[in-house]
Amino acid sequence: MNNQRWLSISFLAFFFTWGVFLPYWTGWLTIEKGLSVTSASVIMGAGMIARALSTFLIFPYMTQRISLIRTIRWLSFVALILALLYLPNSSFSVLLIITMLFSAIYPMILPAVESGASILIKTDRIHYGKSRSFGSFAYTIALLLIGAATAIWSEQAILYMMIAGLAAATLFFMRPAPAALQVNPVKTDKKDRSIDIKALFTSKGFAVVLLLVILLQGAHASYYNFGFIFLDDLGVNGFYIGVILNVAVLFEILFFTQADKWLANMRVSTMFLIAGIGSTVRWLAISLFPLTSVFIGSQLLHAASFGVAHFAFIKFISEKLPNHQIAAAQGMYAAFAMSLSTAILTFPGGYLYDISPRLAFLGMIVCSVPAIIIVFMTRKKYAY
C-alpha cells in the first residue's frame, strides 16, 4: 500500500465514525437516553472541554515519546473500549463521566492522522486534498447509513454504528504504516518542550492564524450539536435528515478533491476571508429563515465555512513550520479550534436553543464577523 492510499484510508476510517459522533451524539443523548437539550449540551460541552485539554496536553506528550503510528493505534483501541461503556442504561452523572473520557481519547485520532498528513506532504509530496476527500466521503456514507438505520429501527443504531466503525478503524491502523510515521521521536525534557511551544508562537503569523481557526471552527457549534435536532423539530423524517446533512459534506468532498489545484496560489489570508464571509452568510440565513429549504441551501456554504478554513491552516503549517513543530500545532488546532471554542459556544448555544432555535444559529456570527475584521487588520503586517 503506497503512502497516498494509506492516508486516504486513514481519513476514511476515522471520518466514518466522526460522521456518527459529530452530528448525531447530542440527538442520541436526548432521544435514546431521555436527556433534555440543555442536559445533553452540558454533557457534550464538558466532553469538548476534556477533548481540548487532552489534545493540548496528552497528544503532544504521546507524540514526544512514541511514534505517530503507535499513538494512533493506542488511541483507536482505547476509544473502542470506552464506546462499549455506553451500552448499559446509565444515569446523567455516569453518561457525563463516560462522555468526558471518550471525548478525551477518541478525537485525538484526528490530529494524529492530520499530523501524519502534514509529514507526508513534506516527505512524499502527497496530495492532501485528494486523501482528505476520502474522509469527507466516509462522513457522507455515515450520515446516510445513520439516517436509514434510525428511520428503520431506533436511535440506538447510532451507538452500534459507532462501535462497528471504531472496531474497523482499529483493525486498519494495526496494519503496516508509512515509514515516516514509524520514526520514534527524540526524547526531550520539559524545558525543551516549553521552548518548542514558545518558538511555535513566535513563528510569524501563527498566533493570528490559530485565532482565526478558533473563531471560524467554533462558529460551527450550533450546527454540529443542534443541526439534527433543528431538522427534527421542523418535522423532517430521520432518513431525510441524513440526506440533508450530507449536502454539506458533498460540497466539502468537491472542495477537497480540487483544493490543491484551486488554492495552490491563493494567500492563506484570502482563504480565511472567504471562510469568514461564507460562515456569516450561512448562520444568518438559517436564523432569519428557519425553513428546511433554506437549511439545505445553506449547506452549500460548508465548503467555505469549514473546508476553506481547514485547508488554510493545513497549508500554513505545512509551508511555514518545521516537522518537529507540526504535531504541537495540530494539537493546538484540535484543542482550541476543534474542541474548546466549540465547547464554550455549546453552553450558550443550548441555552439559546431552548429560547428559540433560530437564536442558537444567529449567535454564531459573534465569531465569524470578528474573524473577517481580524483578517483585514493583520494580513499585511504578517504577510500570511
Side-chain angles (χ1 to χ4, degrees):
M1 183 181 298
N2 64 39
N3 292 350
Q4 183 84 56
R5 189 176 300 128
W6 182 91
L7 184 62
S8 297
I9 297 176
S10 295
F11 277 126
L12 188 147
F14 174 79
F15 275 98
F16 179 85
T17 61
W18 201 234
V20 177
F21 183 73
L22 200 59
Y24 288 110
W25 218 247
T26 304
W28 176 72
L29 288 171
T30 58
I31 298 170
E32 190 64 29
K33 295 297 185 180
L35 300 178
S36 67
V37 173
T38 301
S39 296
S41 297
V42 169
I43 287 179
M44 294 303 291
M48 280 183 277
I49 291 173
R51 171 182 161 192
L53 292 173
S54 66
T55 48
F56 181 60
L57 300 173
I58 299 175
F59 174 67
Y61 181 85
M62 291 181 70
T63 57
Q64 287 163 355
R65 276 160 175 72
I66 60 176
S67 66
L68 204 52
I69 188 58
R70 287 183 64 195
T71 299
I72 295 173
R73 288 167 179 167
W74 274 108
L75 291 174
S76 58
F77 175 73
V78 175
L80 173 60
I81 300 302
L82 290 171
L84 294 172
L85 297 180
Y86 279 110
L87 286 169
N89 291 327
S90 305
S91 63
F92 172 85
S93 58
V94 173
L95 286 171
L96 176 63
I97 293 170
I98 294 173
T99 302
M100 289 183 69
L101 289 172
F102 185 69
S103 298
I105 298 297
Y106 160 66
M108 282 196 288
I109 300 171
L110 181 54
V113 174
E114 291 280 14
S115 295
S118 296
I119 291 172
L120 292 175
I121 288 172
K122 288 176 175 287
T123 60
D124 292 67
R125 299 199 175 277
I126 58 100
H127 296 289
Y128 174 81
K130 181 179 179 181
S131 288
R132 180 59 176 76
S133 67
F134 277 75
S136 300
F137 175 73
Y139 192 95
T140 299
I141 296 302
L143 289 177
L144 288 175
L145 288 177
I146 291 296
T150 54
I152 296 171
W153 295 294
S154 70
E155 276 65 28
Q156 188 65 2
I158 295 171
L159 176 59
Y160 296 147
M161 198 77 74
M162 185 69 177
I163 293 171
L166 282 172
T170 301
L171 289 174
F172 170 74
F173 289 130
M174 293 300 174
R175 292 169 55 85
L181 309 187
Q182 299 179 39
V183 177
N184 288 318
V186 177
K187 291 185 178 181
T188 58
D189 58 30
K190 291 182 178 179
K191 183 179 179 181
D192 290 333
R193 291 198 298 274
S194 65
I195 293 173
D196 233 20
I197 296 295
K198 185 178 179 181
L200 189 57
F201 274 99
T202 55
S203 297
K204 188 177 182 180
F206 176 77
V208 173
V209 167
L210 182 63
L211 175 60
L212 288 171
V213 287
I214 286 172
L215 290 171
L216 292 170
Q217 300 297 7
H220 291 80
S222 288
Y223 172 69
Y224 289 149
N225 286 286
F226 313 122
F228 171 68
I229 303 172
F230 182 78
L231 290 170
D232 188 63
D233 288 344
L234 290 177
V236 180
N237 176 272
F239 173 75
Y240 292 110
I241 290 177
V243 173
I244 291 171
L245 293 177
N246 250 324
V247 173
V249 191
L250 289 173
F251 277 84
E252 181 184 311
I253 292 171
L254 175 62
F255 167 73
F256 279 125
T257 55
Q258 301 298 320
D260 294 296
K261 179 172 63 176
W262 287 349
L263 306 181
N265 300 314
M266 185 180 289
R267 291 177 60 183
V268 168
S269 59
T270 303
M271 294 183 208
F272 280 124
L273 190 59
I274 293 170
I277 294 171
S279 180
T280 302
V281 172
R282 187 181 185 186
W283 313 133
L284 280 174
I286 297 174
S287 62
L288 294 176
F289 308 100
L291 305 169
T292 304
S293 58
V294 174
F295 191 95
I296 294 171
S298 72
Q299 293 288 77
L300 278 61
L301 291 168
H302 192 72
S305 65
F306 169 78
V308 177
H310 179 76
F311 190 87
F313 182 80
I314 296 298
K315 183 176 181 179
F316 180 86
I317 66 171
S318 297
E319 294 179 351
K320 304 294 185 182
L321 301 182
N323 279 2
H324 69 274
Q325 289 184 341
I326 286 176
Q330 283 287 357
M332 288 183 188
Y333 177 55
F336 298 119
M338 303 297 286
S339 304
L340 190 59
S341 61
T342 307
I344 291 171
L345 288 167
T346 295
F347 293 111
Y351 175 76
L352 290 172
Y353 194 96
D354 279 338
I355 297 173
S356 171
R358 299 166 65 175
L359 290 177
F361 291 94
L362 180 63
M364 296 301 103
I365 68 170
V366 75
C367 291
S368 60
V369 172
I372 297 171
I373 296 171
I374 290 170
V375 171
F376 281 119
M377 291 176 62
T378 61
R379 64 187 311 189
K380 287 185 179 179
K381 181 179 179 180
Y382 294 105
Y384 62 97

